[in-house]
Amino acid sequence: MGELNLILTGPPGAGKGTQASLLAERRGIAQISTGEMLREAVDSGSDLGRRVEVVMARGELVGDELVIDLVRERLGRADARSGFILDGFPRTEQQADALDRILSELGRDPVRVLALCVPEAELIRRILARGEGRADDDARTVQKRLEVYRISTEPVLAYYGGAVVRIDGAGSVEEIRLRIGQALG
Ligand code: AMP
């Protein structure tokens, strides 16, 4: 069997983190979450972490170069060799471009793209209810994150064009998990 190289994209609150973690465990592939990696950088209290914290707290995107470097390093590690699921990356066309280059440099198979689709009112409800204590989960920052998604990240779907598999992201964690399983075959 070939590598299972996946991108799980979708707006904030669509359930990317939850579904990526379930998939990674079931299929034995690496979960690569740039949001988690950045939160770790913030928690480390480094200079870089402090700068990242300000950007994240505003609901804006961290610079492409930094995130691309994180992903390049992570994809090069041994545990990503049999497959990976990227959750929260690429969020811009520049990141999508860079990912193509990284995968070809590493001699890896191309990615398959899954997009979770959820109506905006449901996204806001979920985020405000999730209570993970994330600093960027307040009502104002959520609006900003949704706007950033529409402006910067939605174009990434056009970048991948017809290769994107859209999945209905409404319903329970289990319902969505089954739909993703069906889509992957
Ligand atoms: P997430 O956990 O995926 O919702 O990401 C939380 C925050 O981390 C985002 O609102 C951004 O500030 C930052 N972030 C995560 N992934 C990226 C990325 N690929 N590019 C730029 N910023 C990112």
Side-chain angles (χ1 to χ4, degrees):
M1 211 177 72
E3 302 166 10
L4 186 58
N5 299 341
L6 299 173
I7 290 171
L8 187 60
T9 187
K16 298 184 296 291
T18 303
Q19 296 296 334
S21 134
L22 291 169
L23 250 176
E25 197 177 325
R26 289 205 160 220
R27 309 258 178 165
I29 57 178
Q31 179 185 2
I32 304 180
S33 160
T34 45
E36 279 303 321
M37 291 161 98
L38 293 167
R39 279 187 285 279
E40 279 165 23
V42 170
D43 290 344
S44 78
S46 64
D47 278 353
L48 177 73
R50 273 195 289 274
R51 271 177 281 141
V52 165
E53 185 172 20
V54 176
V55 179
M56 286 176 82
R58 286 196 195 122
E60 291 169 2
L61 293 183
V62 170
D64 283 331
E65 227 176 296
L66 167 62
V67 183
I68 289 165
D69 282 349
L70 286 175
V71 169
R72 178 182 287 113
E73 190 277 327
R74 184 66 187 83
L75 280 173
R77 285 196 228 158
D79 72 326
R81 207 161 296 159
S82 58
F84 56 81
I85 178 159
L86 282 161
D87 134 33
F89 182 97
R91 262 179 158 94
T92 64
E93 288 172 287
Q94 288 76 10
Q95 293 178 17
D97 242 354
L99 179 63
D100 279 347
R101 280 197 304 274
I102 293 168
L103 293 176
S104 94
E105 276 163 26
L106 294 172
R108 303 293 306 263
D109 291 348
V111 277
R112 296 167 72 179
V113 185
L114 306 177
L116 284 174
C117 305
V118 183
E120 196 159 306
E122 171 67 10
L123 295 172
I124 295 170
R125 197 191 59 73
R126 283 189 194 171
I127 295 174
L128 297 181
R130 75 179 162 194
E132 283 170 6
R134 271 177 58 168
D136 57 353
D137 271 356
D138 63 287
R140 229 181 54 203
T141 314
V142 168
Q143 288 296 345
K144 178 68 186 173
R145 286 161 60 204
L146 287 168
E147 183 190 322
V148 166
Y149 174 78
R150 282 193 299 269
I151 294 171
S152 303
T153 305
E154 230 164 36
V156 173
L157 293 179
Y159 178 95
Y160 290 109
V164 177
V165 177
R166 286 182 163 75
I167 291 165
D168 176 8
S172 68
V173 168
E174 181 60 11
E175 283 166 336
I176 302 165
R177 186 185 71 74
L178 291 171
R179 285 183 208 132
I180 292 175
Q182 275 161 6
L184 288 176

